[in-house]
Amino acid sequence: MTTLSLHWPAYRLFPYERLLAIAEAIALLSSRQIAEDPESVTVTADRPAAAPRLTYFSAYQTPRTPPAPTVQHLIESETSGGSRRQSTRYSVHGLHEYKGKFNPQTARALLNAAGLPKHALVLDPFCGSGTTLIECAHSGFRAVGTDINPLAITIANAKAQALRCDPELLVAEAEAAFRAAGRSRRGRLLADVRGAYLHRWFDAPMLARLETLRAHIVERDPSVSEILLVIVSNLLREFSLQEPDDLRIRRRKSPPSERDPYQAFLEDTRALAANVRVVQRHTGVCNATSVRAHQGDMRTFATAAAARGMISNFDAAITSPPYAMALPYIDTQRLSLVWLGLVDPGTLPSLQAELIGSREFNGSPRSIWERKLVDNSERLPAAHAALCQRLLEMLGEQDGFRRQAVPSLLYRYLAGMRDSFLSVRSLLRPGAPFFLIVGHNHTVLGGHRIDMDTPALLSTLGETAGFVTERREPLQTYQRYGLHQKNAICREELLTLRAV
Ligand SMILES: C[S@@+](CC[C@H](N)C(=O)[O-])C[C@H]1O[C@@H](n2cnc3c(N)ncnc32)[C@H](O)[C@@H]1O
C-alpha cells in the first residue's frame, strides 16, 4: 500500500468530472480515498505505478517524492499554447470539426474507471470523428468504431493514421504539395459530378486552386496523403460561399476569409505535426493500427460483422449516441463529403434520411411510420409506444409540417436505437459495461412544451435488449469560464448499462 497525493488540474472541473476523477483513481490504482482538500485527493493505492495514466489529475506524489506530472497533463499543457483552460483539441482531436463531438477527457476517464484488462477491446457503435478510438489508442486499448456517415469514418481513420505517422514526413509532404500546387499556372477544372455540385458553393478560381492542391496531395506518400486531404476538407467551409459557422447551409453574409488556403493548409499541418510529436513523445508511437473505424449501420452491424468473421468479444462500449430529431448534420458536411469523393451529390438526401434521429423520411414515407406507431408494430415497450401515441394526439392545427412529423420520427428513432442496442449486445461479452453520454430533448406540440427524458427512454430500451441499467449520473455543466456554478444546467447524463 502506497499513500499518494493526487493534484487537481489548474482549471476548474465540473462536479461530474470530480466524481469521474475519483472513480478512475479507485479503479486504476486499486485505491481507497482517505482525504480531500481544495488542492488534492489523498489515496492509499495498491497499484501506484498506474498514476501517470490518470485523466483528471495534473500530478501525483508520495510523501517522500516531489510531484510528477500525469501523461494527460503533459499532453494537454504542451499543446495548449500556454492557456490554462481545459484543452479538447490536444493530440489529433482537433484534426477536423465534427458536430456532436464528445469530450475526450470524459472518454479517457471512463476507460480508466471501467477497470479494463490490458489490451482490452472497446467498441464505439456511433463513433463519429473517433474521439473514443483515439483515447483507446492513447491508453493502449484496441478499438473498433462504426458510423453510418462516410465522412466520420474518413476523419476517424485519418486521426488514427496521424497518431502513428512520422510527423516530419507529414510536414515534408505537405510542403511538397504546397510548392507543386503553387507552381501550377492553370488551376484544374472539375468536369465531373463533383464539379457540378461544388461550383455552386465556391468561386471558380478558389475551387480550381483547391482542386490543384488535391491533385498534388494524392500523389504524395500514401501513409500521409489521406491525413493531408482531411486537413484541406476541414478548411473548405472557410473558403466557400457558405456561412462557415452556420449549422444549416446558407449563403455567406460574412466577408470572405482573408487567409490564403495554401498557407492555411500548411499552418494546420504544422500544428497537427507539433501535437503528434508531443503525444508520441509521451505515449510512444501509438500502435494505432489496433484502432479502426468501419462504415456501417449499427442496426445491422452485428449481423454483418459476424458474416465477415469479425471479433465479437468486446470488453466495453462507449458512445455518444444520435439524438432524436438531430440537426441535419450531413447538410453542414456536404462540401467535405462531395470534395473528398465520399458520396455522389445526388445521394446526399438519402444518406441524411438513413441516420438514426434524422428529421427526414425520404423513401420511407411518414404515413408508414405513423401506421407502425399506431399499431406499435415494432413492438417497442408499452410506455414508449404510449408516449409517441400521446404526442400524436396532442398535435394541433397550428403545428406545421415539421411538427406533424415529430411523433413518427420519435417512434422511428426509438426503434432504431432498440435495434442498435441488440446489435451492440451481441458484440459484447457478458458483464461488459456500455457507457452512453445522452442528452435530454424537448419539443413543442399543440402549443405545449414536452420534455423528453431520453436517458430514461434509452435505459428501458437497453433493458429490453439484454442489458441492466447500472446507474444514471447527471452531467452538470455550466459555462466553465466566466459564469458561476449556480448557473449549472444538466443537459446530458451518463447512462451506464451492463450486458447480462
Ligand atoms: C453524437 S454523434 C457521435 C460523435 C462522436 N462521439 C465524436 O466524438 O465525434 C452520433 C453519430 O451517430 C451516427 N449515426 C447515426 N445513425 C447511425 C447508424 N444507424 N449507425 C451508425 N452510426 C449512426 C452519426 O453519423 C453520428 O456520427
Side-chain angles (χ1 to χ4, degrees):
M1 266 306 182
T2 307
T3 302
L4 279 181
S5 156
L6 310 174
H7 298 238
W8 295 116
Y11 51 79
R12 190 159 52 144
L13 293 178
F14 293 133
Y16 84 86
E17 290 174 319
R18 289 176 86 93
L19 287 176
L20 266 179
I22 303 293
E24 62 166 343
I26 290 171
L28 199 65
L29 312 179
S30 183
S31 65
R32 216 163 38 83
Q33 182 184 346
I34 50 177
E36 183 173 349
D37 63 45
E39 304 296 316
S40 64
V41 174
T42 307
V43 297
T44 50
D46 275 346
R47 285 197 298 267
R53 294 175 54 193
L54 292 165
T55 314
Y56 287 123
F57 295 99
S58 58
Y60 56 96
Q61 73 180 119
T62 70
R64 274 181 298 282
T65 55
T70 56
V71 170
Q72 181 72 18
H73 174 72
L74 290 170
I75 295 177
E76 282 186 39
S77 57
E78 289 177 27
T79 57
S80 64
S83 161
R84 285 161 63 87
R85 298 181 165 199
Q86 185 188 61
S87 159
T88 52
R89 294 173 164 265
Y90 60 89
S91 181
V92 294
H93 289 299
L95 177 54
H96 200 291
E97 283 308 316
Y98 197 82
K99 304 286 169 223
K101 201 147 56 178
F102 142 75
N103 179 299
Q105 284 88 348
T106 308
R108 183 179 172 91
L110 286 172
L111 289 167
N112 281 339
L116 299 175
K118 224 175 168 186
H119 307 306
L121 181 60
V122 177
L123 173 72
D124 186 340
F126 304 105
C127 72
S129 61
T131 310
T132 306
L133 306 189
I134 295 309
E135 287 305 324
C136 284
H138 289 163
S139 310
F141 297 127
R142 295 169 298 143
V144 172
T146 177
D147 203 289
I148 201 166
N149 178 354
L151 180 63
I153 302 304
T154 303
I155 299 173
N157 285 331
K159 285 182 181 174
Q161 184 87 3
L163 264 189
R164 64 167 180 268
C165 82
D166 171 355
E168 312 318 320
L169 179 71
L170 183 72
V171 173
E173 292 295 86
E175 287 171 349
F178 170 87
R179 281 192 303 271
R183 277 195 302 270
S184 293
R185 260 188 253 114
R186 267 196 314 132
R188 310 233 168 181
L189 289 175
L190 277 85
D192 57 7
V193 58
R194 291 166 54 247
Y197 180 81
L198 293 171
H199 273 296
R200 303 213 305 261
W201 290 110
F202 289 93
D203 278 337
M206 176 61 76
L207 186 57
R209 292 192 73 200
L210 292 169
E211 199 53 13
T212 305
L213 184 58
R214 181 181 197 268
H216 289 288
I217 288 175
V218 295
E219 286 168 8
R220 307 311 311 170
D221 190 300
S223 71
V224 295
S225 56
E226 195 72 22
I227 307 167
L228 297 178
L229 285 177
V230 170
I231 291 172
V232 182
S233 158
N234 194 40
L235 291 167
L236 291 177
R237 286 194 95 197
E238 177 180 346
F239 294 103
S240 75
L241 301 173
Q242 275 182 16
E243 195 56 65
D245 297 327
D246 211 326
L247 266 182
R248 305 198 171 268
I249 36 175
R250 295 201 171 95
R251 212 100 188 139
R252 183 190 272 278
K253 288 205 176 72
S254 60
S257 174
E258 287 179 0
R259 300 202 297 165
D260 175 76
Y262 290 5
Q263 280 294 346
F265 160 68
L266 217 47
E267 280 163 24
D268 286 4
T269 308
R270 288 181 179 141
L272 176 70
N275 278 13
V276 170
R277 277 184 212 109
V278 169
V279 78
Q280 289 184 348
R281 188 163 63 244
H282 294 301
T283 64
V285 177
C286 297
N287 180 15
T289 38
S290 60
V291 306
R292 181 101 201 131
H294 299 270
Q295 194 189 349
D297 183 337
M298 199 55 215
R299 290 166 285 203
T300 51
F301 187 76
T303 329
R308 287 203 306 255
M310 236 174 87
I311 334 156
S312 60
N313 211 6
F314 287 86
D315 298 294
I318 302 186
T319 204
S320 53
Y323 283 36
M325 286 151 285
L327 283 163
Y329 293 135
I330 293 288
D331 279 355
T332 54
Q333 300 166 344
R334 281 176 178 210
L335 299 182
S336 288
L337 283 158
V338 175
W339 188 78
L340 289 167
L342 298 173
V343 296
D344 182 318
T347 62
L348 284 165
S350 54
L351 177 61
Q352 176 69 56
E354 273 174 40
L355 264 65
I356 295 177
S358 168
R359 298 181 187 194
E360 309 301 327
F361 283 104
N362 202 331
S364 154
R366 185 179 113 204
S367 56
I368 293 188
W369 279 98
E370 206 163 288
R371 172 106 328 265
K372 286 189 183 201
L373 185 177
V374 171
D375 299 342
N376 190 17
S377 57
E378 289 284 331
R379 297 180 185 278
L380 290 185
H384 292 52
L387 168 68
C388 298
Q389 285 157 3
R390 190 158 53 84
L391 296 184
L392 195 60
E393 284 157 18
M394 283 176 75
L395 283 173
E397 302 250 301
Q398 71 274 42
D399 292 313
F401 168 76
R402 288 262 166 218
R403 286 192 185 150
Q404 295 287 336
V406 166
S408 314
L409 288 176
L410 179 64
Y411 188 78
R412 188 181 65 170
Y413 167 78
L414 293 170
M417 288 305 293
R418 189 266 323 271
D419 292 348
S420 300
F421 281 4
L422 285 167
S423 198
V424 173
R425 175 62 196 86
S426 72
L427 292 167
L428 291 178
R429 62 169 178 73
F434 181 14
F435 301 107
L436 299 107
I437 308 277
V438 190
H440 286 256
N441 284 79
H442 75 269
T443 185
V444 177
L445 290 185
H448 302 282
R449 179 188 158 110
I450 297 130
D451 289 300
M452 278 184 260
D453 186 349
T454 313
L457 293 169
L458 294 189
S459 147
T460 318
L461 278 185
E463 286 162 11
T464 65
F467 292 95
V468 286
T469 301
E470 202 162 85
R471 60 195 296 178
R472 286 178 54 187
E473 198 81 65
L475 306 184
Q476 310 98 322
T477 53
Y478 40 88
Q479 212 173 326
R480 203 189 295 263
Y481 310 104
L483 277 182
H484 192 265
Q485 193 162 336
K486 72 179 188 321
N487 296 315
I489 47 159
C490 173
R491 272 204 221 100
E492 292 184 317
E493 274 190 29
L494 168 62
L495 168 64
T496 308
L497 304 177
R498 201 165 281 275
V500 283

